[in-house]
């Protein structure tokens, strides 16, 4: 008892001094609908001890958990879920209360039973009651969501399952008789629910697609994550598939999720179909229309039907209509197809076997469909970025029967089958010599069997909304916006910066008080590049099932066209870190459009450009015409440093968390894939061995290090191993005579230690400096590591600062230090950020000057200079396919490094 009393006394004294109140605001305007959301917050080192800090929100209920720890055990990042509410506050204040360190206080859960979530779990099902809906999930079988029930007890959705259509070939010319067609449905392996489900319950279902008919093996594994919030009638669903087929015999011809909607007991004329059109538009239809007829049932009846309300009793109808309902066709099926980002068609039919009737379509559908009735309730399902991920479809079917359905097609069955085969036949490139020669002309690094989609993934977001009765069209319009721009809460840039939880290399825009006209010019150039890419995405239609979220790499001035068809110049696949440019620009400005740009990139690069199964698991693919086509499989593309900001700001997005674990597996992939197999001096004998992997510190190790650091911070299942390896790397790497200037050395993936390269077994010192080593996030990863663990070997920090210093130093200085110079290096502008980094860490103004000089006066091919036009030129008419704004002096390599270096120089130099 005495101990408790002292503890409480100590607590009251500490309470005021250790509380931290942080404001979070909506990324866009405050949403019209708050269906609950999750967000993340950073905390400065040493402030709040995990397990003895409690969190409260200024309004609404809060569930909080720790997503990352500082090495001293204090909280680095938290995730928070707020419950749904009638209206959203403009901002929330999240208060962390608890001793900074030392004193242990057990947090009281902020429960409010009136709206808390109730979870029940049995051996075969999980049921979640949010207070507004009860959703049931199966642990086996096909129906992932077995039912969705409103608080009035009405079942408005059931038998929610996945569907897949596939075919064994494509009928290109003539005979299609040999093609086998198969249909698959979800087969559940397992389902789990989050342990803590006070304000947010997360149900995770894993499984595979199983053939209903035919002999095709089970394939296309999936993970579905359902997020349900207290007091909410919405379910956010994160849908992930991994392609594990053979591109020559497994063509996807339809991929979707279907929910059945009970309609029995509802009059046909009281059943409503709503489909989102363009710019908030909604198609208003009843299954049996009583408007526009030759005889008028009465205005009250027509108005009720149009508004989705129950029509008055039929005794009030004009009998000229009510006696003739049997002659009015009922529309059973509706189908919207968005086969391009520019247009959708929509049609309906009375039943199978009868012709479809066209409904006027539009440009870009909001991607949401509703089916239900005035009395029986209904369901709406929407796909985020519906038109951006074309070809997509929405089906409403069997609306005139007792059980209708809504199908959201992530890949439309009306489109041509998805073709993942290589786009060329190899062109006879059957030796490394030929492949390297081809690289000289198309810049494509081809190799047979490396151009495979086996193991790539795609993640989509789907929102499910339940209703007791047909909602107003305006409500569905608001929900369509909600689906496409899910509300995001974030802390302001000043606070995030102050915690130092995401590196020391960026500053809040405008924070530098001595901002001169020069920095204003640099800021305007950063803005130009952001605006340019946002505009190019739209003008060049960088959209599609696999493509959305990527940008192009190089530009063909002659054709006024990005080099979408020229080997290694096409899709960018995160080359030279545009992701870091965009995320850092978001961090320093808080701009919503930059966040959305970077978020789409996270969902692309980590999924499509990276491998999740097979030999390449943990590696990504170099830029090319097809995202998976190039034979350079490296962790420089899959590195989680590109996704880290999103991971933490989103409160620990679970799918992104999976990707970090996969990147840890790159250590195994290094054994199967030798990144420098084509370019290594043939006199060097190298046989990959887990204890002696010949790696480049920047293009290979840095990505694994980023994953290890995240694992350590998160205290994931391998965190002790990850920490141990990072510390061992930091201890052993400086023992390489020339540190990072060694470039490539032997990494022991079992303990993280480094040894001299096979070319220099005695460690006499080797100089191998590549322009590529430091342009895939190694500086940012190392800085985050140094910020995370101040105890990290000083020798390691110094070795890195030496690399930063000498890359841009004069040849004479290089020679004086290393016995030889580094040769002719490019990407000086991008590397100016290394100079700025060492200038800052060594507090050397001369070096800061050198950094700016390198940044502004690089004058090589892959850079942007103050003398560039910094403006676009409009092309239209017959010169181009569609009108475009061109900046032929911009390549994505240059833009990515210009943006990243500019941000870091503004912060560090
Ligand atoms: C714990 O708090 C004390 C007193 O404020 C401080 O001196 C110490 O550095 C803190 N420890 C950590 C690990 O932050
Ligand atoms: C917090 O408490 C849990 C359960 O007692 C324990 O497993 C975990 O290690 C603790 N975390 C820290 C950082 O002390
Ligand atoms: C619980 O939530 C309800 C509805 O949001 C609210 O009216 C009530 O005041 C809350 N109760 C407590 C104890 O916070
Ligand atoms: C669910 O099944 C998958 C595939 O077999 C497996 O990898 C995963 O570990 C399982 N998860 C759980 C929670 O059992
Ligand atoms: C009016 O509705 C009732 C009950 O639904 C039905 O039995 C009756 O046939 C309807 N009358 C006409 C004229 O359609
Ligand atoms: C995967 O690795 C195994 C073992 O090294 C090898 O036999 C196989 O050919 C590889 N598969 C591909 C597609 O490279
Ligand atoms: C490395 O140093 C050792 C001992 O100083 C010497 O014997 C050897 O020749 C050197 N090797 C090279 C490749 O310079
Ligand atoms: C700063 O860097 C310059 C350039 O390398 C060097 O000459 C000078 O000695 C450094 N100044 C300090 C104070 O270290």
């Amino acid at each position: 008892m005495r101990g408790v009393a002292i503890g409480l006394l100590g607590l009251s004294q500490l309470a005021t001094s250790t509380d931290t109140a942080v404001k979070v605001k909506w990324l866009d305007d405050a949403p019209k609908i708050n269906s609950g959301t999750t967000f993340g917050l950073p905390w400065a080192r040493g402030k709040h001890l995990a397990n003895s800090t409690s969190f409260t929100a200024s309004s609404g209920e809060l569930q909080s958990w720790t997503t990352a720890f500082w090495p001293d055990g204090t909280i680095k990042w938290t995730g928070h879920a707020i419950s749904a509410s009638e209206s959203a506050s403009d901002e929330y204040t999240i208060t962390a209360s608890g001793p900074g360190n030392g004193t242990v206080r057990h947090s009281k859960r902020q429960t409010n039973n009136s709206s808390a979530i109730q979870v029940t779990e049995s051996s075969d099902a999980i049921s979640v009651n949010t207070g507004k809906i009860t959703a049931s999930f199966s642990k086996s079988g096909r129906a992932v969501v077995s039912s969705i029930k409103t608080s009035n007890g009405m079942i408005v959705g059931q038998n929610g399952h996945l569907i897949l259509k596939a075919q064994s070939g494509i009928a290109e010319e003539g005979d299609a008789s040999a093609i086998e067609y198969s249909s698959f449905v979800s087969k559940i392996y397992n389902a789990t629910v989050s342990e803590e489900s006070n304000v947010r319950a997360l149900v995770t279902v894993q499984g595979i697609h199983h053939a209903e008919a035919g002999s095709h093996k089970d394939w296309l594994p999936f993970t579905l994550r359902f997020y349900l919030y207290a007091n909410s009638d919405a379910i956010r669903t994160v849908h992930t598939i991994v392609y594990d087929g053979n591109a020559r015999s497994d063509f996807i011809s339809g991929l979707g999720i279907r929910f059945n909607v009970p309609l029995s007991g509802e009059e046909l004329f009281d059943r409503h179909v709503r489909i989102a059109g363009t710019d908030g538009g909604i198609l208003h239809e009843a299954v049996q229309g009583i408007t526009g007829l030759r005889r008028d049932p009465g205005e009250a009846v027509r108005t009720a039907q149009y508004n989705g309300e129950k029509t008055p009793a039929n005794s009030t109808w004009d009998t000229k209509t009510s006696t003739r309902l049997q002659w009015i066709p009922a529309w059973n099926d509706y189908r919207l197809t968005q086969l391009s980002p520019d247009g959708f068609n929509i049609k309906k039919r009375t039943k199978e076997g009868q012709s479809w009737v066209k409904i006027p379509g539009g440009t870009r559908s909001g991607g949401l469909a509703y089916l239900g009735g005035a009395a029986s309730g209904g369901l709406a399902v929407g796909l985020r970025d519906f038109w951006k991920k074309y070809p997509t479809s929405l089906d409403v079917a069997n609306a005139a029967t007792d059980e209708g359905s809504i199908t959201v097609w992530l890949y439309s069955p009306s489109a041509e089958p998805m073709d993942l085969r290589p786009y060329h036949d190899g062109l006879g490139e059957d030796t490394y010599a030929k492949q390297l020669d081809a690289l000289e002309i198309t810049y494509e690094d081809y190799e047979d069997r490396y151009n495979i989609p086996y193991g790539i993934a795609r993640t989509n977001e789907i929102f499910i909304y339940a209703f007791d009765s047909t909602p107003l069209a305006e409500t569905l319009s608001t929900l369509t916006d909600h689906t496409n721009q899910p509300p995001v809460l974030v802390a302001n840039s000043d606070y995030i910066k102050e915690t130092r939880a995401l590196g020391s290399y960026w500053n809040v825009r405008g924070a530098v008080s001595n901002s001169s006209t020069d920095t204003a010019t640099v800021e305007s150039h950063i803005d130009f590049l952001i605006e340019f890419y946002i505009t190019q995405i739209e003008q060049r239609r960088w959209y599609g099932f696999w493509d959305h979220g990527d940008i192009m790499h190089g530009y063909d001035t002659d054709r006024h066209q990005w080099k979408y068809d020229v080997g290694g110049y096409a899709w960018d696949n995160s080359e030279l870190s545009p992701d870091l440019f965009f995320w850092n620009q978001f961090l320093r400005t808080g701009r919503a459009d930059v966040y959305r740009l970077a978020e789409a990139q996270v969902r692309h690069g980590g999924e499509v450009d990276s491998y999740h199964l097979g030999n390449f698991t943990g590696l990504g693919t170099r830029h090319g015409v097809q995202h998976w086509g190039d034979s350079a499989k490296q962790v420089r593309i899959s590195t989680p440093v590109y996704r880290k900001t999103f991971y933490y700001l989103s409160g620990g997005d679970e799918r992104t968390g999976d990707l970090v674990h996969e990147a840890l597996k790159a250590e195994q992939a290094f054994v199967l894939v030798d990144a420098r197999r084509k370019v290594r001096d043939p006199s060097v004998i190298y046989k990959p061995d887990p204890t002696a992997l010949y790696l480049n510190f920047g293009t290979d190790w840095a990505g694994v290090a980023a994953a290890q650091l995240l694992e350590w911070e998160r205290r994931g299942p391998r965190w002790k191993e990850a920490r141990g390896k990072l510390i061992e790397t930091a201890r052993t790497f400086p023992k390489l005579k020339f540190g990072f200037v060694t470039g490539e050395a032997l990494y022991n993936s079992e303990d993280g230690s480094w040894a001299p390269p096979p070319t220099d077994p005695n460690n006499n010192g080797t100089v191998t400096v590549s322009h590529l080593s430091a342009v895939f996030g190694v500086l940012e990863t190392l800085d985050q590591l140094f910020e995370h663990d101040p105890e990290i070997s000083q020798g390691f920090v110094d070795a890195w600062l030496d690399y930063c210093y000498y890359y841009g130093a004069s040849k004479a200085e290089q020679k004086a230090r290393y016995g030889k110079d580094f040769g002719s290096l490019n990407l000086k502008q991008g590397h100016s950020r290394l100079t700025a980094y060492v200038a800052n860490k060594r507090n050397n103004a001369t070096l800061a000057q050198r950094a700016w000089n390198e940044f502004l006066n690089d004058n090589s091919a892959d850079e942007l200079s103050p003398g560039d036009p910094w403006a676009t030129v409009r092309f239209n008419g017959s010169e181009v396919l569609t009108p475009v704004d061109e900046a032929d002096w911009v390549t994505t390599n240059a833009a990515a490094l210009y943006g990243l270096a500019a941000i870091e120089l503004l912060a560090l130099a």
Side-chain angles (χ1 to χ4, degrees):
M1 284 307 292
R2 205 160 56 99
V4 172
I6 291 164
L8 285 175
L9 185 66
L11 179 68
S12 60
Q13 286 166 346
L14 278 166
T16 47
S17 60
T18 60
D19 281 10
T20 310
V22 184
K23 270 188 192 151
V24 288
K25 288 188 175 174
W26 299 101
L27 180 62
D28 310 273
D29 294 340
K32 290 190 195 141
I33 290 180
N34 171 27
S35 63
T37 193
T38 301
F39 57 94
L41 283 178
W43 306 91
R45 178 198 312 277
K47 282 274 243 193
H48 294 283
L49 200 63
N51 286 4
S52 57
T53 303
S54 59
F55 297 88
T56 49
S58 52
S59 70
E61 297 208 34
L62 193 70
Q63 179 180 328
S64 307
W65 58 93
T66 305
T67 49
F69 301 84
W70 293 99
D72 66 4
T74 57
I75 297 174
K76 189 168 186 179
W77 284 92
T78 44
H80 303 275
I82 56 161
S83 54
S85 57
E86 289 307 316
S87 61
S89 304
D90 285 340
E91 61 180 41
Y92 298 81
T93 302
I94 307 302
T95 305
S97 322
N101 59 45
T103 317
V104 174
R105 180 173 75 173
H106 292 286
S107 64
K108 266 206 220 88
R109 249 205 220 168
Q110 307 294 307
T111 11
N112 181 333
N113 288 328
S114 66
S115 65
I117 290 187
Q118 284 167 10
V119 175
T120 46
E121 185 171 7
S122 67
S123 56
D124 54 4
I126 294 165
S127 162
V128 179
N129 180 348
T130 68
K132 287 276 172 67
I133 57 168
T134 302
S136 299
F137 303 87
S138 317
K139 291 186 174 178
S140 62
R142 63 183 249 166
V144 178
V145 187
S146 47
S147 72
I148 300 171
K149 199 162 66 178
T150 68
S151 54
N152 290 349
M154 270 188 275
I155 292 181
V156 295
Q158 57 194 18
N159 189 22
H161 62 280
L162 303 182
I163 27 184
L164 166 68
K165 289 164 175 289
Q167 54 192 72
S168 64
I170 293 188
E172 274 160 323
E173 273 158 28
D175 188 19
S177 62
I179 299 177
E180 281 175 49
Y181 296 85
S182 322
S183 298
F184 304 78
V185 293
S186 35
K187 180 169 105 181
I188 298 164
Y189 286 151
N190 51 52
T192 54
V193 63
S194 48
E195 264 170 46
E196 196 176 357
S197 304
N198 183 34
V199 169
R200 182 189 95 164
L202 164 59
V203 176
T204 307
V205 183
Q206 286 192 277
I208 197 158
H209 292 80
H210 170 74
E212 277 188 306
S215 56
H216 198 291
K217 69 172 169 71
D218 293 350
W219 71 305
L220 221 67
F222 66 81
T223 303
L224 293 171
R225 291 188 164 93
F226 298 94
Y227 296 85
L228 298 98
Y229 292 86
N231 220 14
S232 170
D233 46 23
I235 306 175
R236 173 170 173 262
T237 306
V238 177
H239 172 292
T240 301
I241 51 139
V242 182
Y243 183 84
D244 63 343
N246 178 335
R248 297 195 181 277
S249 55
D250 296 308
F251 297 85
I252 292 174
S253 49
L255 177 70
I257 181 165
R258 176 173 295 162
F259 292 88
N260 290 356
V261 180
L263 294 166
S264 64
E266 190 78 80
E267 300 285 3
L268 293 175
F269 48 77
D270 281 333
R271 298 184 185 185
H272 307 113
V273 174
R274 302 284 183 265
I275 297 179
T278 308
D279 296 334
I282 301 285
L283 177 80
H284 291 240
E285 298 256 323
V287 170
Q288 189 177 42
I290 47 80
T291 58
L293 297 167
R294 188 163 186 193
R295 305 296 170 209
D296 181 8
E299 192 186 346
V301 181
R302 284 185 283 111
T303 305
Q305 188 180 65
Y306 178 79
N307 289 336
E309 293 156 6
K310 185 158 180 56
T311 51
N314 61 7
S315 55
T316 70
W317 296 29
D318 187 322
T319 54
K320 290 193 202 78
T321 305
S322 59
T323 57
R324 295 191 173 96
L325 289 176
Q326 65 274 26
W327 311 127
I328 304 175
W331 300 97
N332 201 49
D333 305 325
Y334 285 73
R335 175 165 295 167
L336 181 148
T337 48
Q338 180 90 47
L339 301 187
S340 90
D342 293 308
F344 65 85
N345 289 318
I346 182 163
K347 60 188 182 180
K348 64 182 182 181
R349 67 179 178 187
T350 56
K351 61 178 164 194
E352 210 178 309
Q354 310 298 142
S355 171
W356 291 92
V357 171
K358 282 197 295 183
I359 304 172
T363 51
R364 293 171 166 179
S365 164
L368 177 131
Y370 167 86
L371 172 65
S376 62
L379 195 72
V381 190
L383 172 62
R384 182 177 185 190
D385 293 329
F386 182 78
W387 61 264
K388 295 179 184 171
K389 290 216 169 148
Y390 81 94
T392 46
S393 280
L394 296 171
D395 270 355
V396 170
N398 300 323
T401 70
D402 280 350
E403 190 175 52
S405 69
I406 299 173
T407 310
V408 171
W409 291 101
L410 282 56
Y411 194 89
S412 171
S414 305
E416 289 176 5
M418 181 192 288
D419 193 343
L420 304 183
R421 292 173 297 181
Y423 77 100
H424 67 63
D425 65 4
L427 307 169
E429 297 176 36
D430 52 10
T431 63
Y432 286 168
K434 290 178 189 173
Q435 291 159 20
L436 292 171
D437 197 46
L439 182 75
E440 287 298 319
I441 182 75
T442 62
Y443 200 38
E444 179 174 73
D445 184 357
Y446 170 85
E447 187 173 346
D448 188 29
R449 290 185 304 120
Y450 281 78
N451 51 355
I452 52 163
Y454 181 90
I456 64 169
R458 200 53 162 145
T459 287
N460 281 279
E461 282 178 63
I462 295 156
F463 286 81
I464 305 160
Y465 306 99
F467 305 90
D468 282 322
S469 59
T470 298
L472 292 175
E474 197 188 331
T475 304
L476 291 171
S477 186
T478 305
L479 291 174
T480 302
D481 288 345
H482 179 270
T483 301
N484 285 289
Q485 302 257 78
V488 173
L489 281 169
V490 274
N492 71 35
S493 301
D494 288 304
Y495 175 73
I496 298 172
K497 168 76 192 171
E498 194 184 295
T499 65
R500 303 183 77 97
L502 268 177
S504 72
Y505 45 76
W506 58 276
N507 252 352
V508 179
R509 169 172 270 188
V512 191
S513 51
N514 64 347
S515 51
S516 57
T517 45
D518 288 348
T519 61
T521 305
V522 172
E523 292 283 7
S524 77
H525 292 170
I526 295 173
D527 286 341
F528 172 89
L529 292 172
I530 296 278
E531 184 62 30
F532 178 64
Y533 279 92
I534 290 176
T535 310
Q536 291 300 295
I537 288 169
E538 168 60 11
Q539 292 187 352
R540 311 290 180 164
R541 301 297 192 268
W542 292 336
Y543 300 124
F545 182 92
W546 293 108
D547 302 332
H548 175 54
D550 208 345
I551 53 182
M552 285 272 167
H553 188 65
Y555 196 73
D556 179 347
T557 306
D558 295 313
R559 285 188 290 168
H560 308 295
Q561 173 71 274
W562 288 83
K563 301 182 189 179
Y564 69 95
D565 58 347
V566 186
Y569 293 107
W571 290 117
D572 192 60
N573 289 25
S574 298
E575 185 71 1
L576 311 194
S577 312
D579 313 61
L580 288 175
F581 169 25
F582 298 157
W583 277 119
N584 289 336
Q585 180 64 357
F586 168 72
L587 285 172
R588 61 199 297 276
T589 62
R591 269 175 58 175
D593 54 353
V594 181
Y595 180 96
R596 303 288 181 193
L597 174 68
E599 182 190 19
Q601 212 174 11
V602 163
R603 293 285 188 216
H604 177 87
E607 304 281 358
V608 183
D609 300 343
S610 304
Y611 286 91
H612 314 270
L613 280 178
N615 288 5
F616 305 144
T617 300
L619 304 180
T621 301
R622 176 181 175 267
H623 40 98
V625 171
Q626 290 169 305
H627 303 285
W628 51 87
D630 201 89
S631 75
K633 305 297 182 193
Q634 288 192 272
V635 73
R636 72 186 216 204
I637 300 105
S638 55
T639 173
V641 77
Y642 294 159
R643 289 164 264 290
K644 182 168 183 166
T645 304
F646 175 74
Y647 175 72
Y648 284 127
L649 290 182
S650 65
D653 173 70
E654 283 70 15
R655 171 58 188 164
T656 309
D658 287 351
L659 301 178
V660 177
H661 287 141
E662 285 169 1
L664 285 172
K665 295 185 186 161
E667 286 185 340
Q668 277 98 65
F670 291 148
V671 180
L672 300 171
V673 184
D674 173 10
R676 271 158 295 284
R677 65 195 178 278
K678 297 185 190 176
V679 292
R680 185 170 289 119
D681 183 335
S683 68
V684 179
I685 306 302
Y686 170 56
K687 199 163 173 304
D689 172 330
T691 65
L693 295 163
Y694 199 2
L695 303 184
N696 177 288
F697 75 84
T699 50
D700 303 316
W701 172 79
V704 173
Q708 290 170 340
L709 176 57
L710 268 149
E711 186 69 358
W712 178 3
E713 291 173 329
R714 292 166 77 189
R715 298 204 174 172
R718 294 175 64 182
W719 78 271
K720 287 187 176 158
E721 173 200 335
R723 177 187 62 181
K725 285 181 183 174
L726 283 170
I727 290 173
E728 190 60 8
T729 286
R731 193 182 71 80
T732 53
F733 201 91
K735 293 185 178 170
L736 298 176
K737 176 108 186 274
F738 289 164
F740 285 88
V741 170
T742 313
E744 295 163 19
L746 293 177
Y747 172 72
N748 182 340
S749 67
E750 287 173 5
D751 62 12
S753 64
W754 287 79
T759 49
D760 181 24
N762 294 322
N763 198 20
N764 291 358
T766 310
V767 174
T768 309
V769 177
S770 161
H771 62 296
L772 289 181
S773 297
V775 289
F776 294 93
V778 68
L779 178 146
E780 293 74 15
T781 299
L782 286 172
D783 179 61
Q784 289 170 13
L785 173 62
F786 302 158
E787 289 284 319
H788 184 66
D789 183 10
E791 321 262 279
I792 204 88
S793 143
Q794 188 58 39
F796 189 55
V797 178
D798 289 338
W800 174 243
L801 294 180
D802 278 349
Y803 186 83
C804 290
Y805 179 84
Y806 283 101
Y807 188 95
S810 69
K811 288 192 177 180
E813 280 181 282
Q814 292 166 353
K815 188 153 192 291
R817 169 73 172 79
Y818 296 102
K820 68 186 256 202
D821 66 53
F822 297 174
S824 295
L825 291 167
N826 55 10
L827 303 183
K828 285 268 165 65
Q829 182 169 63
H831 281 78
S832 66
R833 74 193 209 288
L834 274 63
T835 311
Y837 192 75
V838 57
N840 182 271
K841 298 297 162 191
R842 292 190 176 150
N843 200 13
N844 186 325
T846 317
L847 276 179
Q849 212 46 55
R850 195 188 101 191
W852 279 110
N853 185 45
E854 288 162 357
F855 178 75
L856 294 169
N857 303 309
D858 177 345
N859 298 326
S860 68
D862 256 334
E863 60 85 59
L864 297 175
S865 73
D868 282 324
W870 297 100
T872 55
V873 178
R874 184 84 173 167
F875 282 87
N876 50 29
S878 64
E879 281 186 301
V880 285
L881 179 66
T882 54
V884 291
D885 294 308
E886 174 178 290
D888 66 359
W889 46 277
V890 173
T891 68
T892 301
N893 271 355
L897 284 184
Y898 180 95
L900 186 58
I903 289 169
E904 298 190 1
L905 263 65
L906 288 168
L908 300 171

